[in-house]
Short mmCIF file of all heavy atoms in Angstrom, two decimals:
data_model
loop_
_atom_site.label_atom_id
_atom_site.label_comp_id
_atom_site.label_asym_id
_atom_site.label_seq_id
_atom_site.Cartn_x
_atom_site.Cartn_y
_atom_site.Cartn_z
N LYS L 33 27.02 13.76 25.01
CA LYS L 33 26.77 13.07 23.76
C LYS L 33 27.81 12.02 23.53
O LYS L 33 29.03 12.31 23.55
CB LYS L 33 26.74 14.07 22.58
CG LYS L 33 26.50 13.45 21.23
CD LYS L 33 25.08 13.01 21.04
CE LYS L 33 24.84 12.37 19.70
NZ LYS L 33 23.45 11.81 19.57
N HIS L 76 23.92 21.10 16.43
CA HIS L 76 22.76 20.27 16.04
C HIS L 76 21.89 19.86 17.17
O HIS L 76 20.65 19.85 17.07
CB HIS L 76 23.30 18.99 15.27
CG HIS L 76 24.12 19.27 14.05
ND1 HIS L 76 25.06 18.46 13.61
CD2 HIS L 76 24.10 20.37 13.24
CE1 HIS L 76 25.65 19.00 12.55
NE2 HIS L 76 25.05 20.14 12.27
N GLY L 80 17.89 20.79 17.85
CA GLY L 80 16.94 19.66 17.83
C GLY L 80 17.14 18.73 16.60
O GLY L 80 16.24 17.96 16.25
N LEU L 81 18.28 18.88 15.95
CA LEU L 81 18.55 18.00 14.80
C LEU L 81 19.19 16.70 15.19
O LEU L 81 19.33 15.76 14.43
CB LEU L 81 19.45 18.73 13.78
CG LEU L 81 18.89 20.00 13.19
CD1 LEU L 81 19.90 20.60 12.23
CD2 LEU L 81 17.57 19.79 12.51
N ASP L 82 19.67 16.68 16.43
CA ASP L 82 20.31 15.50 16.99
C ASP L 82 19.89 15.45 18.48
O ASP L 82 19.56 16.45 19.07
CB ASP L 82 21.86 15.66 16.87
CG ASP L 82 22.52 14.33 16.84
OD1 ASP L 82 21.92 13.32 17.18
OD2 ASP L 82 23.76 14.25 16.46
N SER L 83 19.90 14.23 19.04
CA SER L 83 19.44 14.10 20.42
C SER L 83 20.71 13.94 21.31
O SER L 83 21.62 13.21 20.93
CB SER L 83 18.56 12.92 20.60
OG SER L 83 17.58 12.93 19.64
N ASP L 101 7.25 14.71 17.31
CA ASP L 101 7.93 15.15 16.07
C ASP L 101 7.26 16.35 15.42
O ASP L 101 7.99 17.25 14.96
CB ASP L 101 7.92 13.93 15.06
CG ASP L 101 8.61 14.33 13.75
OD1 ASP L 101 9.84 14.45 13.76
OD2 ASP L 101 7.90 14.48 12.77
N LYS L 102 5.94 16.37 15.43
CA LYS L 102 5.26 17.46 14.80
C LYS L 102 5.51 18.83 15.48
O LYS L 102 5.85 19.81 14.87
CB LYS L 102 3.73 17.21 14.81
CG LYS L 102 2.93 18.07 13.91
CD LYS L 102 1.45 17.66 13.97
CE LYS L 102 0.63 18.67 13.20
NZ LYS L 102 -0.80 18.40 13.29
N ARG L 104 8.03 19.51 17.47
CA ARG L 104 9.46 19.86 17.35
C ARG L 104 9.72 20.45 15.99
O ARG L 104 10.50 21.41 15.84
CB ARG L 104 10.30 18.62 17.60
CG ARG L 104 11.69 18.93 18.07
CD ARG L 104 12.62 17.76 18.09
NE ARG L 104 12.17 16.74 19.05
CZ ARG L 104 12.92 15.75 19.43
NH1 ARG L 104 14.12 15.63 18.95
NH2 ARG L 104 12.54 14.85 20.27
N SER L 105 9.09 19.89 14.96
CA SER L 105 9.25 20.40 13.62
C SER L 105 8.71 21.80 13.51
O SER L 105 9.35 22.68 12.88
CB SER L 105 8.54 19.52 12.60
OG SER L 105 9.00 18.20 12.66
N MET L 106 7.57 22.07 14.14
CA MET L 106 6.97 23.39 14.09
C MET L 106 7.85 24.41 14.78
O MET L 106 8.06 25.53 14.30
CB MET L 106 5.59 23.40 14.77
CG MET L 106 4.47 23.06 13.79
SD MET L 106 2.88 22.90 14.62
CE MET L 106 2.61 24.54 15.10
N ARG L 108 11.14 24.19 15.10
CA ARG L 108 12.27 24.45 14.25
C ARG L 108 11.90 25.41 13.16
O ARG L 108 12.67 26.31 12.81
CB ARG L 108 12.74 23.16 13.59
CG ARG L 108 13.78 22.37 14.41
CD ARG L 108 14.55 21.41 13.55
NE ARG L 108 13.67 20.40 12.97
CZ ARG L 108 13.39 19.24 13.49
NH1 ARG L 108 13.94 18.90 14.66
NH2 ARG L 108 12.60 18.36 12.90
N ASN L 109 10.68 25.19 12.62
CA ASN L 109 10.23 26.03 11.48
C ASN L 109 10.03 27.49 11.88
O ASN L 109 10.43 28.40 11.15
CB ASN L 109 8.97 25.41 10.92
CG ASN L 109 8.44 26.10 9.71
OD1 ASN L 109 7.39 26.72 9.73
ND2 ASN L 109 9.19 26.10 8.66
N PHE L 114 18.45 27.83 10.42
CA PHE L 114 19.72 27.07 10.34
C PHE L 114 20.52 27.53 9.10
O PHE L 114 20.00 27.72 8.05
CB PHE L 114 19.44 25.61 10.10
CG PHE L 114 18.98 24.89 11.35
CD1 PHE L 114 17.59 24.62 11.48
CD2 PHE L 114 19.84 24.50 12.34
CE1 PHE L 114 17.14 23.99 12.58
CE2 PHE L 114 19.34 23.83 13.48
CZ PHE L 114 17.98 23.60 13.59
N PHE L 116 23.78 25.96 7.40
CA PHE L 116 24.68 24.80 7.51
C PHE L 116 26.02 25.13 6.82
O PHE L 116 26.10 26.00 5.94
CB PHE L 116 24.09 23.60 6.82
CG PHE L 116 22.84 23.12 7.49
CD1 PHE L 116 21.61 23.38 6.97
CD2 PHE L 116 22.91 22.35 8.68
CE1 PHE L 116 20.42 22.95 7.56
CE2 PHE L 116 21.77 21.94 9.30
CZ PHE L 116 20.52 22.20 8.72
N LEU L 120 23.59 23.28 1.96
CA LEU L 120 22.45 22.34 1.88
C LEU L 120 21.18 22.92 1.28
O LEU L 120 20.14 23.04 1.94
CB LEU L 120 22.17 21.76 3.27
CG LEU L 120 23.26 20.92 3.86
CD1 LEU L 120 22.78 20.37 5.24
CD2 LEU L 120 23.57 19.70 3.01
N LEU L 121 21.24 23.35 0.05
CA LEU L 121 20.06 23.83 -0.61
C LEU L 121 19.38 22.68 -1.35
O LEU L 121 20.01 21.67 -1.68
CB LEU L 121 20.42 24.93 -1.62
CG LEU L 121 21.06 26.18 -1.04
CD1 LEU L 121 21.47 27.15 -2.19
CD2 LEU L 121 20.17 26.87 -0.07
N LEU L 122 18.10 22.84 -1.59
CA LEU L 122 17.36 21.80 -2.31
C LEU L 122 17.66 21.93 -3.80
O LEU L 122 17.45 23.02 -4.42
CB LEU L 122 15.83 21.95 -2.08
CG LEU L 122 15.42 21.91 -0.59
CD1 LEU L 122 13.96 22.31 -0.40
CD2 LEU L 122 15.65 20.52 -0.03
N GLU L 123 18.16 20.87 -4.39
CA GLU L 123 18.75 20.99 -5.69
C GLU L 123 17.74 21.24 -6.82
O GLU L 123 18.06 21.76 -7.88
CB GLU L 123 19.47 19.65 -6.07
CG GLU L 123 20.69 19.44 -5.22
CD GLU L 123 21.20 18.06 -5.35
OE1 GLU L 123 20.47 17.09 -5.48
OE2 GLU L 123 22.46 17.91 -5.44
N ASP L 124 16.50 20.81 -6.59
CA ASP L 124 15.47 20.92 -7.67
C ASP L 124 14.73 22.22 -7.61
O ASP L 124 13.81 22.44 -8.40
CB ASP L 124 14.46 19.76 -7.57
CG ASP L 124 15.16 18.44 -7.73
OD1 ASP L 124 15.75 18.21 -8.79
OD2 ASP L 124 15.12 17.62 -6.79
N PHE L 125 15.06 23.02 -6.67
CA PHE L 125 14.34 24.31 -6.49
C PHE L 125 15.26 25.49 -6.82
O PHE L 125 16.46 25.42 -6.61
CB PHE L 125 13.88 24.45 -5.02
CG PHE L 125 12.83 23.48 -4.61
CD1 PHE L 125 13.11 22.16 -4.44
CD2 PHE L 125 11.54 23.85 -4.41
CE1 PHE L 125 12.18 21.24 -4.07
CE2 PHE L 125 10.55 22.94 -4.07
CZ PHE L 125 10.88 21.63 -3.88
N THR L 126 14.64 26.54 -7.33
CA THR L 126 15.46 27.74 -7.66
C THR L 126 15.78 28.42 -6.32
O THR L 126 15.27 28.05 -5.30
CB THR L 126 14.63 28.73 -8.49
OG1 THR L 126 13.50 29.13 -7.71
CG2 THR L 126 14.19 28.11 -9.82
N GLU L 129 12.70 29.69 -4.72
CA GLU L 129 11.91 28.60 -4.11
C GLU L 129 12.57 28.10 -2.84
O GLU L 129 11.90 27.80 -1.88
CB GLU L 129 11.67 27.50 -5.13
CG GLU L 129 10.72 27.90 -6.26
CD GLU L 129 10.76 26.88 -7.37
OE1 GLU L 129 11.80 26.21 -7.59
OE2 GLU L 129 9.74 26.82 -8.14
N ASN L 130 13.89 27.97 -2.86
CA ASN L 130 14.62 27.51 -1.69
C ASN L 130 14.32 28.44 -0.49
O ASN L 130 14.12 27.97 0.68
CB ASN L 130 16.12 27.46 -1.98
CG ASN L 130 16.60 26.07 -2.28
OD1 ASN L 130 16.64 25.23 -1.44
ND2 ASN L 130 16.88 25.82 -3.55
N VAL L 133 10.81 27.96 0.97
CA VAL L 133 10.41 26.65 1.59
C VAL L 133 9.98 26.74 3.05
O VAL L 133 8.90 26.30 3.38
CB VAL L 133 11.55 25.65 1.39
CG1 VAL L 133 11.40 24.43 2.30
CG2 VAL L 133 11.64 25.17 -0.05
N PRO L 134 10.77 27.39 3.94
CA PRO L 134 10.30 27.42 5.36
C PRO L 134 8.94 28.08 5.53
O PRO L 134 8.11 27.55 6.33
CB PRO L 134 11.38 28.23 6.04
CG PRO L 134 12.57 28.13 5.21
CD PRO L 134 12.05 28.09 3.80
N MET L 136 6.58 28.17 3.20
CA MET L 136 5.62 27.30 2.58
C MET L 136 5.25 26.15 3.54
O MET L 136 4.11 25.69 3.68
CB MET L 136 6.12 26.70 1.27
CG MET L 136 6.35 27.70 0.15
SD MET L 136 4.88 28.44 -0.48
CE MET L 136 4.20 27.17 -1.44
N ILE L 137 6.31 25.67 4.26
CA ILE L 137 6.09 24.58 5.21
C ILE L 137 5.14 25.05 6.32
O ILE L 137 4.25 24.32 6.76
CB ILE L 137 7.41 24.13 5.80
CG1 ILE L 137 8.21 23.34 4.75
CG2 ILE L 137 7.20 23.26 7.06
CD1 ILE L 137 9.66 22.99 5.13
N SER L 138 5.34 26.37 6.72
CA SER L 138 4.48 26.80 7.81
C SER L 138 3.07 27.18 7.33
O SER L 138 2.23 27.60 8.12
CB SER L 138 5.12 27.97 8.55
OG SER L 138 5.28 29.07 7.62
N GLU L 142 1.34 31.52 -0.88
CA GLU L 142 2.50 31.56 -1.81
C GLU L 142 2.91 32.95 -2.17
O GLU L 142 4.07 33.27 -2.25
CB GLU L 142 2.15 30.73 -3.05
CG GLU L 142 3.40 30.46 -3.88
CD GLU L 142 3.15 29.51 -5.02
OE1 GLU L 142 2.17 28.76 -5.00
OE2 GLU L 142 4.01 29.49 -5.96
N ARG L 181 17.19 31.92 3.45
CA ARG L 181 16.26 30.88 3.87
C ARG L 181 16.14 30.82 5.38
O ARG L 181 15.04 30.67 5.93
CB ARG L 181 16.76 29.50 3.34
CG ARG L 181 15.80 28.38 3.55
CD ARG L 181 16.27 27.09 2.94
NE ARG L 181 17.46 26.60 3.60
CZ ARG L 181 18.13 25.51 3.22
NH1 ARG L 181 17.68 24.82 2.17
NH2 ARG L 181 19.19 25.11 3.86
N MET E 3 -0.28 22.01 -1.28
CA MET E 3 0.24 22.32 -2.63
C MET E 3 1.75 22.15 -2.67
O MET E 3 2.28 21.71 -3.66
CB MET E 3 -0.14 23.77 -3.02
CG MET E 3 -1.54 23.91 -3.59
SD MET E 3 -1.90 22.73 -4.87
CE MET E 3 -0.83 23.29 -6.20
N PHE E 4 2.43 22.62 -1.57
CA PHE E 4 3.84 22.43 -1.51
C PHE E 4 4.26 20.98 -1.63
O PHE E 4 5.17 20.63 -2.37
CB PHE E 4 4.36 23.04 -0.19
CG PHE E 4 5.79 22.77 0.08
CD1 PHE E 4 6.75 23.46 -0.61
CD2 PHE E 4 6.19 21.81 1.05
CE1 PHE E 4 8.11 23.25 -0.40
CE2 PHE E 4 7.51 21.60 1.26
CZ PHE E 4 8.47 22.31 0.56
N LYS E 7 3.50 19.67 -5.23
CA LYS E 7 4.48 20.22 -6.16
C LYS E 7 5.86 19.57 -5.94
O LYS E 7 6.53 19.19 -6.96
CB LYS E 7 4.61 21.74 -5.88
CG LYS E 7 5.02 22.61 -7.01
CD LYS E 7 4.80 24.03 -6.60
CE LYS E 7 5.68 24.96 -7.36
NZ LYS E 7 5.49 26.38 -6.92
N THR E 8 6.24 19.38 -4.71
CA THR E 8 7.56 18.80 -4.38
C THR E 8 7.60 17.34 -4.83
O THR E 8 8.57 16.85 -5.39
CB THR E 8 7.88 18.95 -2.92
OG1 THR E 8 7.65 20.30 -2.53
CG2 THR E 8 9.29 18.61 -2.60
N ARG E 11 7.98 17.20 -8.48
CA ARG E 11 9.32 17.67 -8.88
C ARG E 11 10.38 16.57 -8.58
O ARG E 11 11.26 16.34 -9.32
CB ARG E 11 9.66 18.96 -8.17
CG ARG E 11 10.66 19.74 -8.93
CD ARG E 11 10.86 21.09 -8.31
NE ARG E 11 9.76 21.98 -8.72
CZ ARG E 11 9.85 23.31 -8.54
NH1 ARG E 11 10.95 23.84 -8.05
NH2 ARG E 11 8.83 24.06 -8.90
N TYR E 12 10.21 15.95 -7.40
CA TYR E 12 11.14 14.89 -7.02
C TYR E 12 11.03 13.67 -7.93
O TYR E 12 12.03 13.03 -8.26
CB TYR E 12 10.91 14.48 -5.55
CG TYR E 12 11.59 15.33 -4.53
CD1 TYR E 12 12.27 16.49 -4.91
CD2 TYR E 12 11.58 15.03 -3.20
CE1 TYR E 12 12.87 17.30 -4.00
CE2 TYR E 12 12.21 15.81 -2.27
CZ TYR E 12 12.86 16.95 -2.64
OH TYR E 12 13.47 17.74 -1.74
N SER E 15 12.96 14.69 -10.99
CA SER E 15 14.09 15.54 -10.79
C SER E 15 15.20 15.20 -11.76
O SER E 15 15.45 14.02 -12.09
CB SER E 15 14.58 15.30 -9.38
OG SER E 15 15.86 15.80 -9.18
N ARG E 16 15.95 16.23 -12.19
CA ARG E 16 17.06 15.99 -13.16
C ARG E 16 18.32 15.63 -12.46
O ARG E 16 19.32 15.29 -13.09
CB ARG E 16 17.28 17.22 -14.00
CG ARG E 16 16.19 17.43 -15.01
CD ARG E 16 16.45 18.62 -15.86
NE ARG E 16 15.23 18.95 -16.65
CZ ARG E 16 15.31 19.57 -17.79
NH1 ARG E 16 16.44 19.96 -18.31
NH2 ARG E 16 14.20 19.82 -18.48
N THR E 17 18.33 15.77 -11.13
CA THR E 17 19.59 15.55 -10.41
C THR E 17 19.84 14.05 -10.11
O THR E 17 18.82 13.31 -9.92
CB THR E 17 19.60 16.30 -9.06
OG1 THR E 17 18.43 15.94 -8.37
CG2 THR E 17 19.61 17.80 -9.30
N ARG E 18 21.07 13.65 -10.14
CA ARG E 18 21.55 12.32 -9.72
C ARG E 18 20.80 11.16 -10.38
O ARG E 18 20.49 10.18 -9.77
CB ARG E 18 21.40 12.16 -8.21
CG ARG E 18 22.03 13.29 -7.46
CD ARG E 18 22.14 13.02 -6.00
NE ARG E 18 22.33 14.25 -5.30
CZ ARG E 18 23.43 14.97 -5.40
NH1 ARG E 18 24.43 14.62 -6.14
NH2 ARG E 18 23.57 16.08 -4.68
N LYS E 287 17.01 10.84 -2.55
CA LYS E 287 16.45 12.05 -1.99
C LYS E 287 16.44 12.07 -0.46
O LYS E 287 15.81 12.95 0.09
CB LYS E 287 15.04 12.29 -2.56
CG LYS E 287 15.00 12.69 -4.00
CD LYS E 287 15.54 14.10 -4.20
CE LYS E 287 15.66 14.47 -5.66
NZ LYS E 287 16.46 15.67 -5.87
N LYS E 289 18.69 12.70 1.66
CA LYS E 289 19.36 13.87 2.24
C LYS E 289 18.42 15.12 2.15
O LYS E 289 18.34 15.89 3.14
CB LYS E 289 20.67 14.14 1.46
CG LYS E 289 21.53 15.13 2.10
CD LYS E 289 22.90 15.24 1.37
CE LYS E 289 23.73 16.32 1.88
NZ LYS E 289 25.02 16.35 1.18
N GLU E 290 17.79 15.25 1.04
CA GLU E 290 16.86 16.41 0.91
C GLU E 290 15.68 16.25 1.89
O GLU E 290 15.16 17.26 2.40
CB GLU E 290 16.35 16.55 -0.54
CG GLU E 290 17.48 16.92 -1.48
CD GLU E 290 17.09 17.83 -2.60
OE1 GLU E 290 15.89 18.23 -2.63
OE2 GLU E 290 17.91 18.15 -3.43
N MET E 293 16.87 17.40 5.08
CA MET E 293 16.99 18.87 5.04
C MET E 293 15.65 19.55 5.23
O MET E 293 15.50 20.49 5.98
CB MET E 293 17.56 19.35 3.72
CG MET E 293 19.10 19.29 3.68
SD MET E 293 19.74 19.14 2.00
CE MET E 293 19.03 20.56 1.24
N LEU E 294 14.61 18.95 4.63
CA LEU E 294 13.29 19.46 4.78
C LEU E 294 12.81 19.34 6.21
O LEU E 294 12.16 20.20 6.76
CB LEU E 294 12.27 18.77 3.83
CG LEU E 294 12.41 19.20 2.39
CD1 LEU E 294 11.63 18.25 1.46
CD2 LEU E 294 11.86 20.62 2.13
N ARG E 295 13.21 18.21 6.86
CA ARG E 295 12.85 18.03 8.24
C ARG E 295 13.57 19.08 9.08
O ARG E 295 12.99 19.64 10.07
CB ARG E 295 13.22 16.62 8.71
CG ARG E 295 12.23 15.58 8.15
CD ARG E 295 12.57 14.23 8.76
NE ARG E 295 12.40 14.19 10.22
CZ ARG E 295 12.94 13.31 11.00
NH1 ARG E 295 13.72 12.39 10.55
NH2 ARG E 295 12.69 13.35 12.31
N ALA E 296 14.82 19.37 8.78
CA ALA E 296 15.60 20.38 9.51
C ALA E 296 14.93 21.71 9.40
O ALA E 296 14.93 22.54 10.29
CB ALA E 296 16.99 20.43 9.02
N LEU E 297 14.29 21.98 8.24
CA LEU E 297 13.64 23.24 8.01
C LEU E 297 12.26 23.30 8.63
O LEU E 297 11.56 24.29 8.55
CB LEU E 297 13.53 23.51 6.49
CG LEU E 297 14.86 23.74 5.79
CD1 LEU E 297 14.65 23.86 4.28
CD2 LEU E 297 15.60 24.98 6.31
N GLY E 298 11.78 22.17 9.20
CA GLY E 298 10.54 22.23 9.93
C GLY E 298 9.45 21.39 9.36
O GLY E 298 8.31 21.47 9.82
N LEU E 299 9.75 20.59 8.36
CA LEU E 299 8.64 19.73 7.84
C LEU E 299 8.62 18.47 8.63
O LEU E 299 9.65 17.81 8.80
CB LEU E 299 8.98 19.37 6.31
CG LEU E 299 7.82 18.86 5.49
CD1 LEU E 299 6.74 19.92 5.33
CD2 LEU E 299 8.29 18.43 4.12
N GLY E 300 7.46 18.13 9.18
CA GLY E 300 7.35 16.95 10.08
C GLY E 300 7.60 15.66 9.29
O GLY E 300 7.53 15.54 8.10
N ARG E 301 7.91 14.61 10.13
CA ARG E 301 8.24 13.29 9.53
C ARG E 301 7.09 12.82 8.65
O ARG E 301 7.33 12.29 7.59
CB ARG E 301 8.44 12.37 10.74
CG ARG E 301 9.06 11.04 10.33
CD ARG E 301 9.12 10.11 11.54
NE ARG E 301 9.89 10.76 12.66
CZ ARG E 301 10.85 10.13 13.29
NH1 ARG E 301 11.11 8.90 12.99
NH2 ARG E 301 11.50 10.71 14.26
N ARG E 302 5.84 13.00 9.14
CA ARG E 302 4.70 12.51 8.39
C ARG E 302 4.57 13.19 7.03
O ARG E 302 4.24 12.59 6.06
CB ARG E 302 3.45 12.66 9.19
CG ARG E 302 3.20 11.64 10.18
CD ARG E 302 1.87 11.71 10.76
NE ARG E 302 1.66 10.71 11.76
CZ ARG E 302 0.53 10.57 12.44
NH1 ARG E 302 -0.48 11.31 12.19
NH2 ARG E 302 0.45 9.55 13.33
N ARG E 303 4.85 14.50 7.07
CA ARG E 303 4.69 15.30 5.81
C ARG E 303 5.80 14.91 4.84
O ARG E 303 5.61 14.94 3.66
CB ARG E 303 4.69 16.78 6.16
CG ARG E 303 3.35 17.20 6.73
CD ARG E 303 3.34 18.66 7.13
NE ARG E 303 3.30 19.53 5.94
CZ ARG E 303 3.48 20.86 6.04
NH1 ARG E 303 3.68 21.43 7.23
NH2 ARG E 303 3.47 21.60 4.94
N GLU E 395 18.62 9.93 13.10
CA GLU E 395 18.53 11.36 13.42
C GLU E 395 18.74 12.16 12.12
O GLU E 395 19.36 11.70 11.16
CB GLU E 395 19.63 11.77 14.40
CG GLU E 395 19.56 11.08 15.75
CD GLU E 395 18.51 11.75 16.65
OE1 GLU E 395 17.98 12.80 16.31
OE2 GLU E 395 18.28 11.25 17.75
N ILE E 396 18.18 13.38 12.12
CA ILE E 396 18.23 14.19 10.91
C ILE E 396 19.68 14.42 10.45
O ILE E 396 20.03 14.21 9.28
CB ILE E 396 17.55 15.58 11.18
CG1 ILE E 396 16.09 15.36 11.48
CG2 ILE E 396 17.76 16.51 9.98
CD1 ILE E 396 15.31 16.63 11.88
N MET E 397 20.53 14.80 11.44
CA MET E 397 21.93 15.11 11.01
C MET E 397 22.69 13.88 10.58
O MET E 397 23.55 14.00 9.67
CB MET E 397 22.65 15.84 12.15
CG MET E 397 22.29 17.28 12.26
SD MET E 397 22.15 18.26 10.75
CE MET E 397 23.80 18.22 10.10
N GLU E 398 22.31 12.75 11.13
CA GLU E 398 22.94 11.51 10.75
C GLU E 398 22.68 11.22 9.28
O GLU E 398 23.56 10.88 8.52
CB GLU E 398 22.34 10.42 11.60
CG GLU E 398 23.28 9.26 11.96
CD GLU E 398 22.56 8.27 12.91
OE1 GLU E 398 22.01 8.70 13.89
OE2 GLU E 398 22.62 7.06 12.52
N ILE E 400 21.81 13.53 7.01
CA ILE E 400 22.48 14.57 6.16
C ILE E 400 23.94 14.29 6.00
O ILE E 400 24.49 14.41 4.92
CB ILE E 400 22.20 16.00 6.79
CG1 ILE E 400 20.75 16.36 6.67
CG2 ILE E 400 23.08 17.03 6.15
CD1 ILE E 400 20.38 17.72 7.23
N LEU E 401 24.59 13.91 7.12
CA LEU E 401 26.02 13.74 7.03
C LEU E 401 26.47 12.40 6.42
O LEU E 401 27.47 12.35 5.77
CB LEU E 401 26.64 13.79 8.47
CG LEU E 401 26.44 15.17 9.17
CD1 LEU E 401 26.92 15.07 10.59
CD2 LEU E 401 27.22 16.24 8.46
#
Side-chain angles (χ1 to χ4, degrees):
Chain L
K33 180 70 180 176
H76 299 152
L81 300 180
D82 204 346
S83 310
D101 180 70
K102 193 178 174 186
R104 206 189 295 194
S105 300
M106 272 175 68
R108 271 200 299 269
N109 183 245
F114 288 100
F116 297 101
L120 296 180
L121 298 176
L122 303 170
E123 292 171 321
D124 299 299
F125 292 72
T126 63
E129 288 167 334
N130 260 289
V133 165
M136 295 293 286
I137 289 173
S138 62
E142 192 171 343
R181 185 176 68 182
Chain E
M3 276 313 289
F4 171 73
K7 206 170 158 181
T8 310
R11 204 172 284 195
Y12 276 6
S15 163
R16 288 183 189 206
T17 53
R18 311 190 196 293
K287 288 291 174 193
K289 189 173 174 179
E290 294 215 2
M293 275 155 58
L294 284 168
R295 285 185 64 202
L297 294 174
L299 198 65
R301 192 186 301 231
R302 280 190 180 180
R303 286 176 71 188
E395 296 279 356
I396 296 174
M397 282 318 294
E398 214 176 308
I400 291 179
L401 298 172

